[in-house]
Amino acid sequence: DRKFGLKAQKAGATDVILSLARRNLSNHLPLIHCLWVLRVCASNVTTGTTLGINGAMELLFKVITPYSKRHIRTVRAAIEALAALLKSRSNSRRAVNRGYLGGLLRLYQDWHHKDVSNNYIYIRRGLLLCLKHVTDIQLGRETFLGSQGIEILFSSVQDCLSCKNLDPIINTAIQILRKCYPKESLPVTTVKSFYLFPLPGNVKADPPCEESEGKWLKSDYESDGEEEADKNLDDEDVESKEEDYDLETDVNKLRSRPVLDRPEEELGQYEAMCPELSHNIQELESEPEEEKSFQDRTESLSSTPSNFIPSATCVKHPNYRWRNQSVTEMEPDPGEKNFQVPLQSWTKEEKCRWDQTDEKRDIAVAAQDTDFWDEEDPTRRQVLALHPLPEDAAWYKKVFHPECETSTNTNPGGMLESSDVVANLLEKHQGDIPFHSPHFYTARAKCVKSIPDYKDLAFPDFWGHQPPPYSKPMLERKYGVQRDKILDDVRRLIHPGDVIGRTVFDLDEPSHSSPTAPGCLTFFSKFESGNLRKAIQVHEFEYDLILNADANSNQHHQWFYFAVSDMKLAVPYRFNIINCEKFNSQFNYGMQLVMYSVKEALQGRPCWLRAGHDICYYKNHYRCRTAAGGGMRGKFYYTLTFSIKFPHKDDVCYLAYHYPYTYSTMMSHLDILEQNRNPKKVYWRQQTLCQTLGGNLCPLITITAMPESKKRDDLEQFSSRPYVFLTARVHPGESNASWVMKGTLEFLMSSDPIADLLRKCFIFKIIPMLNPDGVINGNHRCSLSGDDLNRQWLTPSSQLHPTIYHAKGLLYYLRSIGRAPLVFCDYHGHSQKKNVFLYGCSVKETLWQAGCMVDTAVVTEDVGYRALPKILDKVAPAFVMNSCSFLVEKSRESTARVVVWKEMGVLRSYTMESTYSGCSHGLYKVSKSFK
């Protein structure tokens, strides 16, 4: 009974109990009963506060004695009663002001040192619980620090680590240490993104402040001990309550209401994106002017197709700048550029640009004519090393670390070998990676427009990779790994002199990108989809890493992709990414990051492999200052820590949050699919939906089966097939969505009988990447405008959110001609759940879940939205029906799923979520996790 204390107080019993306790301080039998009643009464905060005012704490401190084997039950009862009293903040404040906190520390030290047989664990933990409650207030934490509390608890925990029975003490002590660890700002000048993009018109590129202080502070003192590892990812009760509160209960808002957010005459421009609706067989068999052949279109990648829908931004802001670069320093947009790719031409050219007169060359020649070296930027040594692989690895230092060779060879060009050797190495590639060509990739990458104007290609994206040779089980979490990492953090605070603190990579200060001390790792991230802002060497083999925020934003730090080199063999390097933002992660539940070794690739094993051990994810002591965060206060950061033993000495390894999938990868993949299609059976059209805010093309793909013949009936059947509309990668950090889309495209283009049947039954409209700019610039969630594009579907801006604006416009057009899609599905990745599942929309299920009375005679609904999930549950091993949800939340009203359902009237409108790491059900359950 939570109100027992109030009832006892109202009856006057609390005063009686206090009086009896004072009279029986030396009579332990009645005293212990009084203490038990006080503990129960103090469990009510109001009653506990009154007891504190009436002197209960002073009484209890007379009973709690230093270490003694006498009257143990009485001492334990007094400590438990005191812990209950200190849950009241006013009592905690009173205890601090009267010097009781120091007394508690001394008592704990005494019991800790003298209880050598560990017979009185419950008393030691009870004293820690008292300290835990006192340090819930700021005054308590400050006093705890001033009383050397951090040092005392750290020392006692070290004594306890060898005994597993002492886990209750260790976990409670670690909770106190984490809470009292002095809060710091991130070691960066500002948390705002290093990359700034000028927005069109009068729109300012100020980072959004989406989170309030209250939201971030509510979990400040959550339980942070090792027991976190045993908890479920989500507290289902809390989650369901929050979800119920967020549910839309207004039936009028839940009903489909076709509306237009633009003038109806604008819809006519989308007719050109549906050439399959024409009954002219000649038009079907021939390609549009801008698509006469795969090669011709590839040769003119920088030209604008005839069906291009312009974005005002593309004209007004062709240039980019990044932080610390003024507008006057910007050069005209070159359109295309040469990358540091050592293919056939090894002649150094000073900042050479794509020669517009060479646009008509063959795509393979275009790939071979790129220059890979930039002597003006010695930090670019993770670039592609297309040299033969001699037994002596000295060539690696020459290619990847030219600054190390300046003392012996001052001419960068002199260390480069002949084009014949490079050609031989490309022949060694053998084209054994399905749906990948280094030539195609490079040609596409030339046309990519990025804020930092990338000059380098990441080796894995250029060279390609094969699937891992084996399935790998989920990583088993080592017992106690999180507390060990937290204690390491505390050790830094206690022994600051042991910390090196050397910055070895910094986007804000490029001069720090070249480590001066021997033995340092070398980092690099200025390539497509790369994200690493700063690297600080903490110890010889330990580094703190800081991620860059999304462009024009001060948040969304989660995605990472960078290269590291100069490593030693068989040495465990520890990396701490200290500014993650999500409150929990699959990294706590068996997920590993992915690693790609260049040496392994050149030896014939080009694979992204799951890597890392001692992995955990926990809240750290870094906070976002109000000034640095652009007004965002109280924001917490989390640490992802992992250790890696690299497979080779002086290798170049790439580390990423998940298997990377770049914009250039997607574009070159589409080129290969088109080139390999069967034009007699497969109808394929690749068009441009629009140009992005950053000036990149957003492709639109149409796939269906060619008509059986030129007869009118067959042509009518061809054009009357229902549409299936698929989109992906609106969130750049969800690269798994692109891999699912890649599999979708390859299957639909295959000769599989089911794929052939699907093509004959449906027309697939596919936008494989809704946020190219975000993917290119290494964002985790937003576009260049700093907006989450999946929250812009209600009122997208044609200037700020062109891909969403025109995707919605195309859907409007299809609905206006009576061809609204049968299915709409937006591919996503889920960072905290396993398996694959769908989110759909249902009026009845939403109202039922919210506890609303539903009149089935008034509220009718087609249950067809459940058909596709049920089918997937039967045929797809990774799919789990029980994880699906068909609720409509207020906070999701501007997402693609809800808007397409409401405004387009698409019953089967879904978000498909795919896990980053493994399954908990079915064929791929844990032991057979995703590769």
Side-chain angles (χ1 to χ4, degrees), residues 887-905:
L887 307 178
V888 181
E889 302 95 336
K890 297 174 184 176
S891 61
R892 302 292 189 273
E893 65 176 356
S894 57
T895 61
R897 163 179 62 103
V898 177
V899 170
V900 172
W901 173 66
K902 282 185 182 180
E903 298 188 17
M904 316 300 168

Side-chain angles (χ1 to χ4, degrees), residues 512-699:
H512 291 158
S513 295
S514 298
T516 56
C520 287
L521 292 177
T522 303
F523 295 85
F524 189 71
S525 64
K526 290 183 70 174
F527 48 77
E528 193 173 338
S529 293
N531 190 319
L532 178 66
R533 182 171 189 166
K534 190 172 185 177
I536 303 170
Q537 186 179 23
V538 179
H539 300 297
E540 183 179 5
F541 302 114
E542 182 178 358
Y543 295 82
D544 281 352
L545 308 179
I546 299 175
L547 306 180
N548 191 30
D550 285 3
N552 282 2
S553 172
N554 56 19
Q555 54 184 330
H556 306 301
H557 311 84
Q558 205 76 19
W559 168 261
F560 60 88
Y561 181 21
F562 58 89
V564 60
S565 60
D566 279 339
M567 66 281 294
K568 296 181 180 179
L569 181 64
V571 173
Y573 285 88
R574 177 179 169 183
F575 300 96
N576 312 303
I577 300 177
I578 62 175
N579 65 331
C580 298
E581 291 186 11
K582 289 184 177 293
F583 75 92
N584 209 335
S585 170
Q586 280 290 308
F587 284 114
N588 272 339
Y589 303 91
M591 178 174 164
Q592 295 172 278
L593 66 153
V594 293
M595 180 179 74
Y596 185 104
S597 164
V598 173
K599 280 193 174 182
E600 286 289 305
L602 294 178
Q603 290 173 356
R605 296 179 294 274
C607 296
W608 280 103
L609 297 175
R610 294 285 184 179
H613 60 276
D614 291 349
I615 300 175
C616 61
Y617 186 96
Y618 58 91
K619 187 170 68 177
N620 59 38
H621 62 283
Y622 289 106
R623 298 292 180 269
C624 181
R625 296 177 313 201
T626 303
M632 184 184 299
R633 297 177 296 164
K635 181 175 181 177
F636 300 115
Y637 290 111
Y638 295 77
T639 292
L640 165 63
T641 180
F642 55 89
S643 297
I644 285 184
K645 288 184 179 180
F646 294 104
H648 300 282
K649 179 183 178 182
D650 293 331
D651 194 1
V652 176
C653 291
Y654 290 79
L655 305 180
Y657 182 81
H658 191 67
Y659 303 100
Y661 195 96
T662 67
Y663 173 75
S664 297
T665 297
M666 182 263 297
M667 295 299 285
S668 59
H669 181 239
L670 297 179
D671 293 338
I672 294 172
L673 286 176
E674 180 176 357
Q675 187 184 50
N676 295 332
R677 79 191 191 281
N678 184 345
K680 294 183 179 180
K681 288 188 175 182
V682 180
Y683 176 90
W684 163 284
R685 284 292 182 273
Q686 179 176 340
Q687 300 168 283
T688 300
L689 176 71
C690 65
Q691 204 171 38
T692 66
L693 189 62
N696 296 290
L697 304 183
C698 179

Side-chain angles (χ1 to χ4, degrees), residues 278-552:
S278 169
H279 286 191
N280 189 329
I281 189 64
Q282 283 75 26
E283 291 184 10
L284 297 178
E285 291 179 338
S286 63
E287 297 182 350
E289 181 66 25
E290 75 277 10
E291 297 183 1
K292 284 189 175 180
S293 72
F294 158 76
Q295 183 166 317
D296 288 343
R297 193 184 71 250
T298 309
E299 289 170 352
S300 57
L301 290 176
S302 62
S303 61
T304 302
S306 61
N307 65 333
F308 170 65
I309 301 175
S311 166
T313 309
C314 307
V315 179
K316 293 182 179 180
H317 294 277
N319 299 325
Y320 310 87
R321 67 185 176 96
W322 49 98
R323 194 172 298 282
N324 300 329
Q325 181 184 9
S326 66
V327 177
T328 58
E329 295 174 322
M330 294 188 294
E331 296 180 312
D333 182 10
E336 293 179 336
K337 53 188 173 294
N338 275 358
F339 278 93
Q340 309 296 330
V341 184
L343 299 179
Q344 295 244 344
S345 175
W346 292 89
T347 305
K348 170 64 186 173
E349 298 175 344
E350 285 293 324
K351 293 187 177 180
C352 64
R353 297 295 184 181
W354 182 285
D355 188 348
Q356 298 296 331
T357 61
D358 291 335
E359 283 189 17
K360 298 298 182 181
R361 61 190 143 183
D362 179 83
I363 185 169
V365 178
Q368 293 169 356
D369 279 348
T370 54
D371 178 17
F372 191 68
W373 206 262
D374 186 354
E375 64 184 11
E376 294 184 1
D377 189 351
T379 66
R380 292 180 177 136
R381 48 222 163 257
Q382 278 72 20
V383 294
L384 197 55
L386 295 183
H387 282 252
L389 190 63
E391 294 182 3
D392 182 7
W395 68 274
Y396 239 76
K397 188 173 289 291
K398 289 183 179 181
V399 175
F400 288 92
H401 313 284
E403 77 286 352
C404 300
E405 301 294 315
T406 55
S407 59
T408 58
N409 187 350
T410 57
N411 179 14
M415 67 184 70
L416 305 177
E417 306 200 23
S418 69
S419 60
D420 292 337
V421 175
V422 178
N424 291 336
L425 186 57
L426 280 175
E427 289 178 6
K428 186 178 180 180
H429 187 276
Q430 296 177 350
D432 55 350
I433 299 176
F435 299 99
H436 181 77
S437 163
H439 299 287
F440 287 8
Y441 184 89
T442 306
R444 279 295 183 179
K446 283 173 175 289
C447 305
V448 170
K449 298 180 180 180
S450 62
I451 296 177
D453 192 25
Y454 297 129
K455 298 294 191 304
D456 305 318
L457 297 181
F459 185 95
D461 303 320
F462 171 85
W463 193 256
H465 62 98
Q466 297 169 338
Y470 52 86
S471 295
K472 188 174 182 180
M474 303 292 288
L475 181 69
E476 290 190 14
R477 185 180 173 111
K478 177 183 174 183
Y479 183 80
V481 62
Q482 179 170 303
R483 72 185 184 194
D484 291 344
K485 304 299 183 184
I486 294 169
L487 290 173
D488 287 343
D489 292 343
V490 176
R491 188 177 287 107
R492 284 198 213 177
L493 175 67
I494 297 175
H495 305 292
D498 296 341
V499 177
I500 297 175
R502 178 189 298 118
T503 299
V504 296
F505 175 78
D506 193 348
L507 288 181
D508 296 277
E509 298 289 341
S511 59
H512 291 158
S513 295
S514 298
T516 56
C520 287
L521 292 177
T522 303
F523 295 85
F524 189 71
S525 64
K526 290 183 70 174
F527 48 77
E528 193 173 338
S529 293
N531 190 319
L532 178 66
R533 182 171 189 166
K534 190 172 185 177
I536 303 170
Q537 186 179 23
V538 179
H539 300 297
E540 183 179 5
F541 302 114
E542 182 178 358
Y543 295 82
D544 281 352
L545 308 179
I546 299 175
L547 306 180
N548 191 30
D550 285 3
N552 282 2

Side-chain angles (χ1 to χ4, degrees), residues 739-783:
W739 288 105
V740 177
M741 178 57 77
K742 178 180 187 289
T744 300
L745 289 166
E746 290 173 5
F747 179 75
L748 288 176
M749 295 296 290
S750 72
S751 58
D752 187 285
I754 297 178
D756 185 57
L757 181 61
L758 286 170
R759 291 193 299 264
K760 290 178 179 178
C761 293
F762 303 101
I763 299 173
F764 291 88
K765 284 287 184 187
I766 301 174
I767 306 175
M769 191 172 285
L770 276 169
N771 192 352
D773 293 338
V775 172
I776 290 167
N777 290 284
N779 285 6
H780 177 70
R781 193 164 184 91
C782 298
S783 66

Side-chain angles (χ1 to χ4, degrees), residues 679-875:
K680 294 183 179 180
K681 288 188 175 182
V682 180
Y683 176 90
W684 163 284
R685 284 292 182 273
Q686 179 176 340
Q687 300 168 283
T688 300
L689 176 71
C690 65
Q691 204 171 38
T692 66
L693 189 62
N696 296 290
L697 304 183
C698 179
L700 170 69
I701 309 299
T702 305
I703 300 174
T704 188
M706 291 295 288
E708 295 290 337
S709 70
K710 299 180 181 180
K711 296 179 181 179
R712 173 173 289 275
D713 290 346
D714 289 334
L715 292 177
E716 288 182 353
Q717 189 277 337
F718 170 85
S719 60
S720 62
R721 295 168 187 166
Y723 278 96
V724 174
F725 206 107
L726 307 177
T727 63
R729 206 66 183 279
V730 71
H731 294 146
E734 296 169 7
S735 61
N736 44 355
S738 282
W739 288 105
V740 177
M741 178 57 77
K742 178 180 187 289
T744 300
L745 289 166
E746 290 173 5
F747 179 75
L748 288 176
M749 295 296 290
S750 72
S751 58
D752 187 285
I754 297 178
D756 185 57
L757 181 61
L758 286 170
R759 291 193 299 264
K760 290 178 179 178
C761 293
F762 303 101
I763 299 173
F764 291 88
K765 284 287 184 187
I766 301 174
I767 306 175
M769 191 172 285
L770 276 169
N771 192 352
D773 293 338
V775 172
I776 290 167
N777 290 284
N779 285 6
H780 177 70
R781 193 164 184 91
C782 298
S783 66
L784 293 190
S785 66
D787 296 321
D788 180 345
L789 291 184
N790 201 36
R791 296 297 185 274
Q792 309 303 323
W793 280 79
L794 265 181
T795 55
S797 164
S798 60
Q799 288 190 324
L800 297 180
H801 323 118
T803 59
I804 304 303
Y805 183 85
H806 293 299
K808 188 177 182 182
L810 179 56
L811 286 162
Y812 272 143
Y813 172 74
L814 292 174
R815 190 204 69 189
S816 70
I817 61 173
R819 301 297 303 275
L822 177 70
V823 174
F824 172 87
C825 190
D826 188 20
Y827 292 12
H828 283 254
H830 205 291
S831 65
Q832 297 182 35
K833 293 185 178 180
K834 296 189 184 297
N835 311 306
V836 179
F837 52 95
L838 290 177
Y839 291 132
C841 301
S842 166
V843 175
K844 285 187 176 180
E845 292 194 36
T846 302
L847 295 175
W848 285 333
Q849 181 66 33
C852 300
M853 297 296 294
V854 179
D855 187 346
T856 54
V858 177
V859 181
T860 59
E861 187 172 48
D862 184 345
V863 295
Y865 63 88
R866 280 185 164 265
L868 183 59
K870 287 183 176 179
I871 293 171
L872 288 172
D873 194 45
K874 297 292 184 183
V875 303

